[in-house]
Amino acid sequence: MSASISTETPEAKELSLVGKVELRIALADSDTKLESILKTFLAPLLLKLASTHINVRNKERLNLIPILSYGLSGNMQESAAHTASLFNLLLRLLQSFKLPVRGSDEDIDLRTKLGLLDNPKDAEFIATWLGKVILFVKPQAGIKRCPGLSEEDCKFLQLYGKDDVWMSSASGGLNLVETKIAAAKFLMSGAFVDLERFIPALFTSADSNSRISEIGDDILKRTSPNVSLEDRDLVIRLFSIYLGGEGADGTLPARMQLRIKILKLLCRSQEATTFVPQIIRVVEEGLQMSPSSVGGASASPVKQGLEASKLRSQVFAFINWVARAGTERSISAAAPYLVRELRNYIERQGWPQYYNDDSRAVSDELSSRAFGYESIGLMARACPDELLFENSLDLLRWLFESLSGDASGKDISISIEHALGSVLGAFSEGISDGFEASLTDLLLHYMTISLGDTTTSNSKVVRSTRFVAVRFANRCLSFHNTRARWIDLLAIEAGPNERNELIEEGRKGLDPYWFKTLNPPKNNSRNEDTGTEAAKYRLPDYGELIEEIFGSRLDGAQSSHGLGRSELSHAYGSAIVFCRCVLLHQALAWKQRSPIVDIDWKKNIDGLLLNDEEARKTVKDYLKETHKNDGGYNKTLTSYSNAAFSGLVDGAPADSDMSGECLLELCSLAPDFLLDDLSLRITDLRSSVFANGLTSRVIASHVFGLLASRKACPLSAVQTMSDAFRSKIALWDRAVGGEVHQVHGSILATSYLIGRLRYGEGIASKPLDHDLSFMNAILTILTSTRDKELLGSAIAAIDQLSLFSVFTPDTMPIPYKATSIVKKLKEHAKLGDEGAVLALGHFAMQCQEDTSSKSILNEIIDGLYSLHENKQPELHFAVGSALSCAAVAWGSKSLVGVLDVEGQPPYAARRQDTLNTMLRKVLGDCKTTKPALRQASVIWLLCLVQYCGHLEEVRVQLRSCQAAFKGFLADRDSLNQETASRGLTLVYEKGDRGLKDDLIRDLVRSFTRTSAGLAGNVSEDTELFEPGALPTGEGSVTTYKDIMNLAAEVGDPSLVYRFMSLASNNAIWSSRAAFGRFGLSNILSDSSVDGYLAQNPKIYPALYRYRFDPNTNVRSSMNEIWSALVKDSTATLNLHFDSIMHDLLQSILGKEWRVRQASCGAIADLVQGRPTDKYEKYLTHIWTKTFKVCDDIKDSVRTAAMTLARVLTGILTRSLEAGDSPVSGANSMLKEVLPFLLSPSGLESGSAEVQSFALKTLLQIIKSGNRKFLRPFVPDLVARLLGLLSSLEPEAVNYVHLNADKYGITTQQIDDVRLNSVKGSPMMDAIERCLDILDATSMMAFQRSLEGAVKTVVGLPSKVGASRVLVSLSTRHNHMFKPYAGHFLKIARKQVLDRNDTISVSYATACGYLARLASNEELLKLLDFCKKLYFGSEDDRHRVISGEIIHAFGKHAADRFASLASDVLPFVFIAKHDSYDHAKDLFHDAWNENVGGSRAVLLYLQEIISLASQYLDSASWLIKHTSAFAIADTVESAGSEIAPSSAETIWPALEKAMNGKTWEGKEKILSSLVRFAKCSSMLKTNSEIAEIMQAIVLRESRRNNAEYRQHAIKCLGDFVELRQEVDLFTIVYEITAPLIQESLDDTNDMDVDSAVGGISSKLLNDETLASAVGTLIRSINPGIRKESDLVSSLSQAIDFINKASSRKTASVQNAIFDAEKSLFEKLSIGQRISESLDGVLLQYVKLLFNLEIAAEQTRVKAADAATAVASHAREGTLVRALLDQEVVLAQEQERSFSVQQSLNRIKKALGG
């Protein structure tokens, strides 16, 4: 037994002891026993944590913690004090417990080793109390709790009354901050699961100490994804921590920063919205305000400061979250209270006007006010039944009042509008009729108030509420609500002074399409014709609408809620037009002919009435029937007609035109008896007929003709107006200015009247006798005048009279003939006058059909044909209309809207073969090659089919028309394409099913063919290209003839075929655009249902691709066809997905660039939004072909390919982020995309746009990608990214770097900017993300890649980036990188020698971080490297680099630096004396940051002296001097007393340092030698060394270097003072006398500045003189000299002193007086002064008072010297007499207080 014990190792003994103590602690069953054991064994047990044996340390840490933690949760119930002691011991252990590397196997197993896996309750208990430790703060006196903890918690943590537990200075006390840090790190370990550490981590992240909060933030980032915020128990804990406990002993609410953190979490928990009481308490506390100040309405928040503001903002964010995510039940319970609190909060601040004590808005309060308004809106929308839908509309009215009266600022108004916008959503869901009436009244009120009005809250209106009111009207009130439409009119009435959005919103409210767009059906259905949805969109009742707008306003009366008609200025025309549209829509709906309600609702109504006879008849019948059945309706219609008439006569120009058009339309449709009242007012039209506006004159004239021809119209009124018109017409040739307008209106009015009178009844039976005279007048005007306005009126009159058979070939007045008139009209028609063209067509209606070519009809038709030369397309549509009239007269549909009187059409000549002849002619011309005739012919053919298609002659020619139109689909002119497309639509509509299928078949064949040819024949004049499209230098190739000529000139016939091929291809793509024009899409849509396309779906792939064609026309056309053809796009694409994808993959590499570009866009659109499995099998092909097209020769194709690549990358990114792809698939995709992004086509592309895309894409992949998928690519990825840092740097940077001098900057400044750009580069962020992805397995491959990158990258950005990677690995990934740190430290040593200083510094910094992980061996190698750099090179830069490395080493690896202090610090100490400032500063900082106090030099004195002595023999003078300075500094740092051992160490080196000739700075060494002599005992104890010192000082004082000599002489004086036992006067005199004389002799020399920046020659001379004189006086030693010798030496010196003093130089005088003071003090006190000595001293004393112009400092020194001598001046001596006399005199003259004090001391010394 004894043998085993004796052989037991120390380590085993310690392990045994630890085990026994742990057992005792575990077996303690009471607090008393535990306390006793801890008192005895705690201290030695804790000491074992510092054992030299690692096994002992590990055993204690690992074994003691499980023992302490076991059963803690259960012990708490039995004995809280016992548990507190155990927990306190656990905290002590944690501070010395070395945690394993996070994520390592040891870390994962830590929970098991600590026994927490089997005891989860203990783990939860420990985690909870560690969190409470982090919350704990030392309570102040009288306070027993702290935020987040109860009184019991605080007692527990303080061991129930032990106040010194958290006093680190006390015995056994803990440092609170360090304990918190240890606890936080322990929580981060694998000992706890995420749910256990989540709450403590939350506490940690909210700590005010950044060292603690950073750990907490890190834990939260890692644990949050694994903790469900929908856990009800967790939410309860969060609320309890936030609000605290109840009662005096309960838990205090959490600190403000923790509350903010908790609210951020609760804003992500839907479960939190169900805790209504807690929510109310949170809001109540967050909005708590102090009582209002006396006499004012202001209030200021209780909580001030930034955190209080943040907390309140977070409270509002929580309210918003509750409103958005809360359940209906919880919101209903909480919303009323919350809204009331929010309103009170705002009103306490002042409402609606904000107010506070100093009348200045506080930004934090205003921000909270804005949040308050927004929160009210959100809560109200979430709970509308309790808050909004009340009869009083209190909350809505309050918000409107706030908007109108709150002038706090623009931000506040925006927030109020947001609140109202939120409320708007609730109202738009649907409201009852009764509630709608209340809401309408409120909106009308706020629509009519103006700025400056007083509101219901007795505040002034400062902001308009009209825009919000009209928005509410348009979204909350039904469209049939006439008062809502009145609100819209009020918005338009606002005029130019209001915001444009208000007027635009008002216009939208009057359009049923926009109303429906603003209020879409709830179920998003296209069919809302039934139920409540239909009621909401129903148009207003016409009668109610008229009554609302015009019923009480025609007389200018003011209604109860709006404006009078006389005030409805800006919106009057809009009101008339809206009423007209509602009337006509209602009329058409009467016979189920409702116009389509779309964006062109008004245009659809116009089109029906203009071209559809049935529609016009329906309206006419409706107006008749409603008049018969509803007398009230007749009154309404009369009100409308009177309003329109008033608008025409009295309105503004714009309103007049709109009102007139509506009135004219009504007059042409309404029966006569409905217009009788207006007929009585025709005289009121006089001003409008004579108006300056052309439109007003034309409309008024037409209305006059219609009204004046009515039976009810008084004959006298007609006669009066006609006489006025005749009188104006008669003076046509003398009319000027405004009179011309009157003549124009008179002619038009008369022509309209005569035509209707001749045709109509009533007055027509009593004809007026002026028809022929009127026709004679207009024909005279036509043939004589040049005035365009009068010509226009004459032509219009002929047109009107021809229509109604008044002007015919037979009624032509003499001497005019029909042929001459036709000729004149043709002349005007050729000039582009459409009126003349129509007049020809209408006059032709009165001409008889005749086969003779000279007949008037044929002459007119030929004249119309000849107009094809005119290139105005609009004119040809008029020609087509005229041709149809000439062919079939009133049978032409173009005249549907012209017949504006009741009855059968007027007379027209009969026709038989004109239409057939005309069709043959036009169809033949459609085949011509002349461009102008082709275009005119296709337009004429379209008009004939459109206006005459109902006739048999046209129907039998439909197939010919189809062929003709189809020939124009490939035409290059887009107008021809559009015309042909419209014509085919008409042919399709009028044909049978066979014709329809044939048309579809031809279209699809043309659409999908791959070869193409031009339609029609090619002749010389066939235009193949646009002029200028193919320039040849002198012109351009345009026609076929040009191609032939060009081929002949160059002698290359193949050019003909090449150009024709090009033209053919051009025609193909032009033809595509025609497919969507004028309804071809309707043809295809119809065919897809029951025709050709239903059985032939091959069109879909081609059609889908064409939707992305580069040609805008083609693209828009294809989209129109697709929309019409495909009813359900998603279903169609799913059905034909494979065929479409195959076609696109085949086309993407096609020959045509258009096809390639379209294919890229089509694929991008096809794959987006679809499940990956749908196209997964195509991904490889897509990527491969995309990369090929990215290098396309065509720029636009490359752009489209880049867009496709971007889409594919987005898909990849989302797949990687979601982790839903198979690993192999993800790897294959990454292998495809990453090389592409890093290739010359990506990041290395010459295109900045491509580079930007590639970089963004790459960063997105790295940022969002799944770690598992990205990890294999990290090694190569980081290396490539490092290289690209330089590649992507702008070239301008290199240019500026090379030419920095030109721009007045340094290269270092540029490098600093480059360095900052690298630090902030997104690529560096990506690299950091890549490093985070690494694991231990991939680190091996990564280190090889990184090594290669460090060695091979070029350019500052890349090299700096590589160094930063090393830094990041050393700090954030040290556990994985540690094995490689030494290797990379070796590599970094080579990189620090880079020629660029910035790169060198970056790698030096990296060396400092790498030193954290490297071994001591590597660190010593690093130190040797730095020493070699420093001592072995003459280059200053190498010494700087060495300093950078050492400084970084000490700064970033302080602990490792300290461990090698004895090796590093001596070198640092020496180097910090470098003569180069930059290097000196670096080493100086390194020394100061790692050494405490100057006395630390003594710790490393031996090493410093040894190293310095070694380099005193260096061949480099710089190194030699640096070493000497270091040795000198050791003397300075040794203190006032140098120990003998230290002196013995220093002296040899110091003596050696003084060897050699003088050099700059050597005076410092000499000075330290003198100091050494003073502070050490060697001068007195070692005579040999004393003699050596004396010899050295004397030697140096004899040096000839002028600058050095002044210092050497001064040191000689100091040394002489130290050797009082030796008389050195004679030697000193020999040295100083020549210097003094030399200095005195140089008095008159010119003062010269030093060449190297030193002192001037005069100043140097003075300083030398001062040192020499002072040293001479100080060398006089009264103590050892006989009196005679003393007198002799004083006499020898006085001559030089007098001469020197005469210089009156301050430095010299100061030196003399200081030396005299020393001399006088050396005299023995009470020493008898002989007469001879008295006489000599008298000369010295006289110098003290010869100070006429001396400075105050000099006078003080003189007085001090006099004080020293006064004690020796006895009565009767000359010195005494002189002192008595001079002191009195000096006191009288001296004004300086300090000098007076010195004089008083002299008197006192003299006994005065």
Side-chain angles (χ1 to χ4, degrees), residues 1750-1783:
E1752 179 181 352
Q1753 180 186 9
T1754 304
R1755 299 200 305 277
V1756 171
K1757 288 181 178 292
D1760 291 342
T1763 303
V1765 78
S1767 60
H1768 304 290
R1770 300 190 310 275
E1771 291 288 345
T1773 61
L1774 296 175
V1775 173
R1776 175 61 178 265
L1778 179 62
L1779 287 174
D1780 289 338
Q1781 177 184 351
E1782 292 293 340
V1783 169

Side-chain angles (χ1 to χ4, degrees), residues 935-979:
Q935 184 175 78
S937 298
V938 72
I939 294 176
W940 298 343
L941 182 60
L942 171 67
C943 293
L944 291 176
V945 174
Q946 181 175 0
Y947 299 137
C948 307
H950 58 289
L951 302 176
E952 186 63 26
E953 292 92 332
V954 176
R955 296 179 68 84
V956 298
Q957 293 283 357
L958 283 179
R959 289 189 178 273
S960 299
C961 294
Q962 173 186 331
F965 283 133
K966 191 179 69 172
F968 283 89
L969 289 180
D971 199 278
R972 289 186 313 100
D973 192 294
S974 60
L975 177 62
N976 294 352
Q977 296 175 19
E978 294 170 357
T979 305

Side-chain angles (χ1 to χ4, degrees), residues 1108-1123:
F1108 305 91
D1109 191 82
N1111 185 289
T1112 306
N1113 292 333
V1114 174
R1115 188 166 59 249
S1116 60
S1117 300
M1118 295 304 105
N1119 279 316
E1120 291 178 12
I1121 294 176
W1122 181 270
S1123 299

Side-chain angles (χ1 to χ4, degrees), residues 9-22 40-62 64 92-93 96-97:
T9 63
E11 180 179 350
K13 290 180 180 179
E14 291 188 16
L15 289 172
S16 176
L17 175 62
V18 169
K20 292 176 180 179
V21 174
E22 289 173 353
T40 306
F41 296 105
L42 179 59
L45 188 62
L46 294 177
L47 287 175
K48 292 303 177 184
L49 293 172
S51 172
T52 58
H53 305 291
I54 188 171
N55 291 331
V56 177
R57 297 197 300 269
N58 292 339
K59 174 179 173 60
E60 181 164 358
R61 292 165 183 158
L62 289 175
L64 190 55
R92 297 173 186 274
L93 288 174
S96 59
F97 182 66

Side-chain angles (χ1 to χ4, degrees), residues 231-302:
D231 184 344
R232 188 169 184 83
D233 293 336
L234 177 60
V235 174
I236 292 173
R237 285 194 65 187
L238 291 174
F239 271 119
S240 64
I241 295 167
Y242 183 98
L243 298 171
E246 299 180 357
D249 298 332
T251 304
L252 282 178
R255 290 191 302 270
M256 206 170 294
Q257 185 61 35
L258 180 53
R259 285 185 162 201
I260 294 172
K261 294 269 188 180
I262 292 173
L263 284 180
K264 288 181 179 180
L265 292 175
L266 294 177
C267 285
R268 293 159 47 195
S269 169
Q270 192 167 1
E271 182 67 27
T273 62
T274 62
F275 290 78
V276 176
Q278 289 85 342
I279 293 172
I280 293 174
R281 280 192 61 191
V282 169
V283 175
E284 183 179 19
E285 293 182 10
L287 302 180
Q288 184 181 3
M289 303 289 289
S290 64
S292 301
S293 57
V294 178
S298 67
S300 60
V302 174

